[in-house]
Amino acid sequence: MGLEVSTPWQQVLDKIRTWARVNSPWAIHFNSGSCNGCDIEILATLTPRYDVERFGIKLQGSPRHADVLICTGPVSLQAKDRLLRIYWQMPEPKFVIAVGSCGLSGGVFHGCYNIVHGIDEVLPVDVFVPGCPPRPEGIIYGVAVLLEALKSGKRPERTMTVELPAGFEMPQAEVRQ
Amino acid sequence: MTLEKHGENRFVVPIGPQHPALKEPGHFEFVVDGEIVTGASVRLGYVHRGIEKGAEDRTWTQNLYLMERICGICSHIHATAFVQGVEKLAGVEAPPRARAIREIFAELERIHSHMLWLGVAAHEGGFDALFMYSWRDREVVMDMLEMLSGNRVHYSANLIGGVKYDLTPDMMDKIREGLNYLEERLAHYLDVVNNDETFIGRTRGIGTMTREQAQLLGAVGPTARASNFAYDVRVDAPYAAYAEFPVEMVVAQEGDLHARFVVRILETMESIRVLRRIFENMPESELVTRVPRRIPAGETISRVEAPRGELFYFIASGGGEKPERVKVRTPSLCNWGTVITLAVGHKLADMPMILAGIDPCFSCNDRLVMVKRNRQDPQVWTWADLRNYGIEYYR
Ligand code: SF4
């Protein structure tokens, strides 16, 4: 992010943005080869018993509208490019929550030949939610932890660079004169 | 399988892998002529993890947990199919109470799976109220499963030679209470499905499959039964305790989407009835029998009725602590062929409902490119866009 100017005006804008983000994070969900168990539980958090929309958390269909990528599964080789593409399409700043044991380490699929063994091998993950599958409460707690960190201004350090998958070009914004 | 050569007026609409509500990513391409779909193909494999190979490195007991995690919706039934095959190889039989408990778990799972599907299918059609209601009521079943096993999704109830969890009379009373509530709600949903005008408009006469087609395309489960193809492993080759506590097969004549809704709801009600019957005559016995650690060499098959249809396992043992080969054939795969055939001749707007109609397992979110004649820039669609398109089309 090149625009690191810290004029007072910029600081006020940043505050407003953080406020908006914390109060209504939009999420996108991607299944990178999971067994559906975690995906069902993520979906369950949207339904009346847990209803995360109360907290402003909304599941979004398009990566371009999303702040948070909620990802499940051990990342199968075929889904890997897809996952990277979705990550690249998300606007900055973006956050990743890895849900489920197999998203953490490959879990029960550890040693299978067609997986990458964990989302953190591919993307910088901000929050891990363990469990096979984690309860919906656990997933909500994971999101809450992320929001709490955002509120206090602690941006997780990014030490990882994410490669653009081959054959995929980022659309460039057109500059109109 | 891609469709490349098309006439001048045809356009290919790929639908790809990512949707919050469905499982197992799949990629479809529909060839459209204006509004009408004239060809379709499917590409699967986004969730290929190499489970069958992985099974060869794990012991029989470890495999139980791996098999259970092939699918998060029909988890118990996968483990049951595996365990039954292994028991057959070892020449042991689970005690009667254990078999009854397996049936209880399987039927509870069927209730939860069908209610989940009802919600998802309604969501694809734009009936989000029904989606929310059925998922709210589904939590009742989830509570029962959690009470029995401590888990909401992967119950791990099976052991080789028996089951892990017992049912106390207390639990049965609680489950009965829940079932009464569910039965009431299901009757209401049946009423909605049968009498709601918009709902009928989107389901009746859509995606009709004749009995011959169902047989020819190898459809299984509720999808086939909705086309009057009476085949249910629970009835035709009873396993677990289905011989002592039989279920009645639910079939419908019409073969359209509406029939698939009705069959699944009626099946759920039948599950509730059979659960009540089991609770009344719960057999008494221990929960596990002794099984040798090394399973004798041999080959076997094992068939069970998963919520989506016949699930088939082939297991080969070399006489060691690990299986030599495990082959799984899942019902969703059998049903894909029907979608590809049924799609032809229907409107693009009907596709989400037809796809959801077989209760597929696919969940990766792909893009959908919508190319219109006379239009230079291709529009990229997500599954959500396709769904909205379908809803708007029928508005
Ligand atoms: S963590 Fe467990 S429940 Fe979740 S996707 Fe992986 S195997 Fe399935």
Side-chain angles (χ1 to χ4, degrees):
Chain A
M1 291 171 292
L3 296 175
E4 297 284 322
V5 225
S6 130
T7 58
W9 175 234
Q10 193 69 31
Q11 282 167 4
V12 172
L13 270 187
D14 278 353
K15 276 218 180 96
I16 293 176
R17 272 199 214 106
T18 311
W19 171 83
R21 195 166 295 127
V22 170
N23 278 296
S24 182
W26 283 15
I28 180 174
H29 159 235
F30 182 71
N31 167 352
S32 73
S34 81
C35 78
N36 303 335
C38 288
D39 309 82
I40 299 168
E41 295 296 63
I42 290 174
L43 205 54
T45 59
L46 298 174
T47 53
R49 172 164 309 174
Y50 299 101
D51 196 12
V52 286
E53 268 187 44
R54 283 177 300 173
F55 310 124
I57 304 171
K58 189 163 174 266
L59 208 60
Q60 254 298 313
S62 166
R64 294 195 171 85
H65 299 164
D67 303 307
V68 183
L69 171 63
I70 301 180
C71 190
T72 63
V75 191
S76 75
L77 294 184
Q78 196 177 170
K80 185 178 154 200
D81 273 8
R82 201 55 69 169
L83 177 61
L84 286 174
R85 270 163 81 154
I86 287 178
Y87 184 77
W88 269 93
Q89 286 172 4
M90 288 168 64
E92 286 280 356
K94 46 196 166 190
F95 309 95
V96 180
I97 301 180
V99 173
S101 307
C102 67
L104 269 58
S105 64
V108 73
F109 307 114
H110 195 94
C112 288
Y113 62 80
N114 204 36
I115 59 169
V116 185
H117 293 97
I119 295 157
D120 60 342
E121 303 274 325
V122 189
L123 297 178
V125 176
D126 297 302
V127 178
F128 293 95
V129 184
C132 186
R135 295 182 54 89
E137 288 94 331
I139 299 172
I140 297 173
Y141 178 70
V143 179
V145 167
L146 177 72
L147 296 183
E148 208 49 54
L150 290 187
K151 216 186 275 174
S152 58
K154 264 188 262 142
R155 278 289 313 275
E157 291 267 324
R158 288 280 154 76
T159 48
M160 195 171 172
T161 47
V162 181
E163 305 249 325
L164 203 63
F168 175 64
E169 270 178 40
M170 274 302 280
Q172 294 296 324
E174 233 176 76
V175 184
R176 295 240 168 83
Q177 299 294 328
Chain B
M1 274 203 287
T2 43
L3 303 161
E4 244 140 43
K5 297 250 159 48
H6 328 285
E8 269 211 1
N9 304 338
R10 312 260 181 87
F11 307 99
V12 182
V13 182
I15 302 182
Q18 179 217 0
H19 184 3
L22 297 168
K23 328 102 221 175
E24 274 182 6
H27 176 94
F28 307 88
E29 286 182 346
F30 294 116
V31 184
V32 290
D33 186 355
E35 188 64 33
I36 307 293
V37 176
T38 56
S41 80
V42 60
R43 176 182 172 212
L44 301 170
Y46 287 93
V47 283
H48 179 87
R49 290 153 288 192
I51 291 182
E52 288 178 14
K53 186 75 191 161
E56 293 166 20
D57 305 329
R58 287 164 169 76
T59 65
W60 295 102
T61 314
Q62 285 171 336
N63 266 324
L64 262 180
Y65 300 92
L66 182 64
M67 293 309 156
E68 193 161 43
R69 280 158 183 80
I70 287 179
C71 177
I73 301 173
C74 0
S75 55
H76 171 77
I77 206 77
H78 271 278
T80 308
F82 179 71
V83 128
Q84 278 179 4
V86 179
E87 281 166 6
K88 227 191 271 175
L89 281 176
V92 296
E93 204 191 358
R97 194 177 173 89
R99 282 187 283 124
I101 290 177
R102 274 183 196 165
E103 183 172 340
I104 291 173
F105 270 98
E107 292 307 320
L108 284 175
E109 186 174 82
R110 193 177 317 276
I111 298 174
H112 116 69
S113 172
H114 281 353
M115 296 192 74
L116 176 145
W117 170 82
L118 179 67
V120 170
H123 171 74
E124 297 310 343
F127 304 99
D128 270 353
L130 183 53
F131 168 55
M132 289 295 174
Y133 273 126
S134 78
W135 276 64
R136 183 195 68 186
D137 296 336
R138 180 178 158 270
E139 290 291 336
V140 176
V141 199
M142 301 308 273
D143 284 347
M144 294 175 193
L145 287 164
E146 192 179 358
M147 174 179 70
L148 291 180
S149 71
N151 276 317
R152 282 166 54 93
V153 173
H154 294 302
Y155 330 111
S156 305
N158 280 308
L159 288 174
I160 297 175
V163 291
K164 243 184 249 173
Y165 309 110
D166 200 1
L167 261 77
T168 61
D170 241 24
M171 290 176 173
M172 290 190 215
D173 287 342
K174 281 218 185 92
I175 294 181
R176 269 201 207 105
E177 244 170 65
L179 291 181
N180 291 341
Y181 169 76
L182 282 177
E183 202 168 38
E184 230 172 80
R185 297 298 305 169
L186 283 165
H188 171 65
Y189 296 142
L190 193 62
D191 182 48
V192 170
V193 166
N194 276 331
N195 297 319
D196 188 279
E197 217 138 296
T198 37
F199 205 87
I200 289 181
R202 289 223 48 194
T203 54
R204 202 159 269 167
I206 307 282
T208 311
M209 177 167 64
T210 61
R211 190 178 183 282
E212 287 69 41
Q213 274 179 317
Q215 201 165 4
L216 197 71
L217 297 167
V220 291
T223 313
R225 289 196 284 275
S227 294
N228 196 19
F229 182 55
Y231 177 65
D232 187 329
V233 185
R234 292 177 293 167
V235 177
D236 295 326
Y239 55 95
Y242 284 106
E244 293 102 61
F245 306 101
V247 288
E248 249 168 63
M249 203 186 311
V250 183
V251 284
Q253 311 290 328
E254 297 85 4
D256 55 1
L257 256 179
H258 180 252
R260 280 170 223 157
F261 274 94
V262 172
V263 163
R264 286 204 175 87
I265 295 179
L266 289 178
E267 234 171 54
T268 318
M269 291 172 137
E270 177 61 27
S271 294
I272 293 177
R273 278 192 287 275
V274 84
L275 280 171
R276 290 213 186 100
R277 252 176 279 143
I278 301 175
F279 292 157
E280 266 158 36
N281 297 303
M282 197 67 185
E284 291 297 333
S285 75
E286 69 280 19
L287 291 181
V288 263
T289 44
R290 277 196 71 82
V291 181
R293 220 169 82 142
R294 287 171 197 280
I295 305 295
E299 289 178 0
T300 188
I301 60 161
S302 164
R303 296 190 298 159
V304 293
E305 182 79 11
R308 285 165 185 72
E310 181 189 12
L311 174 65
F312 176 98
Y313 266 66
F314 166 83
I315 304 165
S317 165
E321 283 177 20
K322 295 172 183 171
E324 206 139 76
R325 175 85 174 100
V326 180
K327 162 83 190 127
V328 188
R329 182 178 178 265
T330 53
S332 281
L333 191 64
C334 308
N335 284 333
W336 280 125
T338 68
V339 172
I340 301 305
T341 315
L342 295 184
V344 176
H346 279 287
K347 300 192 191 88
L348 190 57
D350 288 327
M351 285 309 117
M353 287 287 268
I354 291 184
L355 282 180
I358 64 161
D359 197 357
C361 260
F362 79 104
S363 100
C364 134
N365 222 335
D366 222 4
R367 306 241 133 335
L368 183 155
V369 183
M370 172 81 177
V371 193
K372 285 218 175 111
R373 218 179 348 169
N374 317 331
R375 258 265 210 112
Q376 287 301 302
D377 52 331
Q379 265 175 284
V380 179
W381 279 16
T382 59
W383 175 272
D385 292 333
L386 179 69
R387 179 180 157 259
N388 285 336
Y389 175 75
I391 295 166
E392 286 301 324
Y393 184 86
Y394 279 102
R395 189 147 275 173

